[in-house]
Amino acid sequence: GYMTFSNGLILQWGQTVAGANAYSADTDFPIAFPNNVFSLVGSKSEGASGASDGNDAGIEYVSLSQYKVYSDDNEQTINWIAIGN
């Protein structure tokens, strides 16, 4: 989902699955950020297989409209949040 604020700030969030090769395809944000992505954070979903095993997981910025997630565990769900304007 996403929320826009009157000052131009945009908050977006969601879940994406890291695919069988440990990376998702480039994935669209719910809406494109017009200007900047200030922060983009991802972590393994609680309760998912391997969620507390310490393996690497996260998210990578691709563009103002796209990102991709990764995990050492194939098919791992990644929760993410992004802030921009």
Side-chain angles (χ1 to χ4, degrees), residues 34-78:
N35 302 300
N36 300 292
V37 176
F38 300 133
S39 181
L40 179 60
V41 179
S43 65
K44 289 183 181 182
S45 177
E46 287 296 321
S49 174
S52 61
D53 62 10
N55 287 340
D56 193 25
I59 190 167
E60 293 181 4
Y61 168 83
V62 174
S63 69
L64 293 173
S65 62
Q66 293 187 316
Y67 66 93
K68 63 180 156 186
V69 298
Y70 62 89
S71 175
D72 286 353
D73 297 329
N74 293 340
E75 305 296 330
Q76 177 66 56
T77 299
I78 306 297

